[in-house]
Amino acid sequence: MEPLYGPIRDYAWGSRSALALLQGRVVPSTGPEAELWLGAHPGAPARVDRAGLRVSLCDLVRDEPGQWLGQRVSERFGGRLPFLLKVLAADAPLSLQAHPDAEQARAGYAGQAGLPEGQRNYSDPHHKPELLVALTPFEALCGFRDPAESAEALAAFGVPELAPVVAALRAGPAGLRTAVRTLLGWPVAGRPELLASVVAAPVDGPDAELARRLATAYPADPGVLVALLLHHLRLVPGEAIWMPAGNLHAYLSGCGVEIMAASDNVLRGGLTPKRVDVDELLRVLRFEVLDEPVRAALPVGPGVECWPVPVDDFALHRVRVGAAVPLVTLPLPGPRVVLCAAGAVTVDDGAGAVTLASGEAAIGTAAGEPLRISGDGEAYVATSGLR
């Protein structure tokens, strides 16, 4: 194993405390810190020490795919590390968004050749399923809830202009597409007045509170009302949400470990000043009710849990070692990235041992032996999902 040094992205919605606390730095940080990236994504690659210099993991994987990825992963994913591990820290809502499936991504990327960058929906030909595990209490929107519940939430505001949306939702899941299209296609000039009427409505309850909170940040964004069509979730540490292709979601607040397929393909649906391509979003969205968006950890051995997902780009395990379980051995093949999330752990893949404090990470090549993790702390282990 070798130490892995990940960059921190300073998006405006980021926290000035969560990542600093995780890494034992001064709080507050000098600016917002939104995401710690631990992977070989060209947008912000992590780095490894080589002869006194910190070399991009992208370069190492490109030059030595057999060593870093192994033959199976290299062949399956075209010589690239198929996953990106992050720590995400949100102090303000992120945009409503969805991601394409693999076929949609390939077709979309190929079909936009020659378009100016600002008009492109796809930055690569890959899908982007995601899994997020809460490190702190975490608030999110994820997946369409029962349309009957959404209809009642919107009807309660007593805003006549929303009657067509309420009617569509009362038709059940078949009306979800119409409801989303109507809201996102609302005339720009009428959006501030619509949201002002919603905010001013004498309504109490979680839906009204959420609408007012989002409208404070986005007073002319119809995504405020689209948000009320989704499950509003509050995760406790250790709970996860799974975001497959076509699932509309947004993170609102909290800190979590996120693992995803290594792609930048995002189709936005509101709560953002950035471009929203309504037609392409509607083409990608799956208009179906998500019955159970929250996933509990599944024990797989003493001190080890995972959150199974139906993709082979990635898998995520949580390891907790200490007095009760002083040593865990994980026979996980392929490239492995380990993040210490609490305490201190020592990780050994047979090629070398690394001791990690909270917020530190390490990487091992595909040629290493089963991981041996010891110490007194908590670690997340990211690998490909190939077995």
Side-chain angles (χ1 to χ4, degrees):
M1 299 297 291
E2 301 183 61
L4 185 67
Y5 304 96
I8 291 178
R9 311 306 300 268
D10 60 352
Y11 307 134
W13 48 263
S15 169
R16 294 187 62 189
S17 60
L19 292 181
L21 286 170
L22 179 71
Q23 296 183 329
R25 295 184 279 108
V26 173
V27 176
S29 57
T30 56
E33 297 180 332
E35 296 179 342
L36 171 65
W37 284 31
L38 298 167
H41 192 287
R47 298 184 177 273
V48 177
D49 283 332
R50 286 290 182 274
L53 300 175
R54 289 190 176 171
V55 178
S56 165
L57 186 58
C58 287
D59 295 342
L60 296 178
V61 170
R62 180 198 63 212
D63 295 342
E64 303 171 323
Q67 176 183 351
W68 287 96
L69 304 177
Q71 182 177 352
R72 289 188 67 215
V73 172
S74 184
E75 290 177 354
R76 167 68 179 83
F77 297 104
R80 63 189 184 91
L81 186 66
F83 61 84
L84 173 60
L85 183 67
K86 297 181 180 180
V87 182
L88 180 145
D91 255 5
L94 282 68
S95 62
L96 283 169
Q97 57 189 263
H99 310 298
D101 63 26
E103 183 178 347
Q104 291 167 338
R106 284 192 296 269
Y109 183 70
Q112 65 183 13
L115 288 178
E117 184 174 346
Q119 297 179 21
R120 297 177 187 175
N121 290 310
Y122 299 91
S123 60
D124 56 65
H126 308 298
H127 69 166
K128 192 187 178 187
E130 301 173 339
L131 176 79
L132 181 135
V133 180
L135 289 177
T136 68
F138 197 93
E139 188 181 6
L141 304 168
C142 182
F144 290 112
R145 62 176 175 171
D146 184 342
E149 296 178 13
S150 301
E152 294 310 306
L154 294 184
F157 292 116
V159 177
E161 291 84 354
L162 289 176
V165 180
V166 172
L169 292 170
R170 285 179 173 157
L176 281 170
R177 179 186 293 271
T178 298
V180 173
R181 178 182 287 279
T182 302
L183 290 172
L184 293 183
W186 207 275
V188 173
R191 293 176 180 181
E193 182 179 355
L194 173 67
L195 291 183
S197 297
V198 168
V199 169
V203 181
D204 293 323
D207 289 308
E209 188 277 332
L210 177 63
R212 293 183 182 113
R213 180 173 143 208
L214 295 177
T216 299
Y218 300 100
D221 192 325
V224 169
L225 297 177
V226 175
L228 301 186
L229 311 187
L230 307 179
H231 292 283
H232 184 191
L233 308 174
R234 290 179 173 85
L235 307 181
V236 300
E239 287 185 324
I241 46 176
W242 161 240
M243 287 144 291
N247 176 65
L248 192 61
H249 61 276
Y251 300 144
L252 302 181
S253 66
C255 183
V257 173
E258 186 180 34
I259 188 167
M260 62 187 63
S263 169
D264 262 344
N265 287 325
V266 176
L267 293 160
R268 294 178 176 85
L271 307 184
T272 178
K274 296 182 179 179
R275 175 173 172 264
V276 175
D277 186 331
V278 176
D279 289 337
E280 188 65 14
L281 176 69
L282 293 175
R283 192 180 73 83
V284 164
L285 283 180
R286 295 180 179 173
F287 291 99
E288 54 194 29
V289 175
L290 184 61
D291 291 327
E292 184 48 70
V294 178
R295 296 201 171 194
L298 175 67
V300 295
V304 184
E305 299 169 307
C306 71
W307 299 264
V309 294
V311 296
D312 59 8
D313 304 74
F314 60 80
L316 186 67
H317 290 75
R318 178 173 63 184
V319 175
R320 288 185 279 195
V321 289
V325 183
L327 174 67
V328 164
T329 300
L330 284 179
L332 298 174
R336 296 161 293 188
V337 173
V338 181
L339 166 73
C340 180
V345 299
T346 297
V347 187
D348 189 350
D349 65 352
V354 175
T355 298
L356 303 174
S358 179
E360 295 180 338
I363 187 168
T365 68
E369 299 174 2
L371 291 181
R372 292 167 55 86
I373 303 177
S374 59
D376 187 6
E378 177 176 292
Y380 287 81
V381 181
T383 66
S384 85
L386 289 178
R387 294 291 179 266

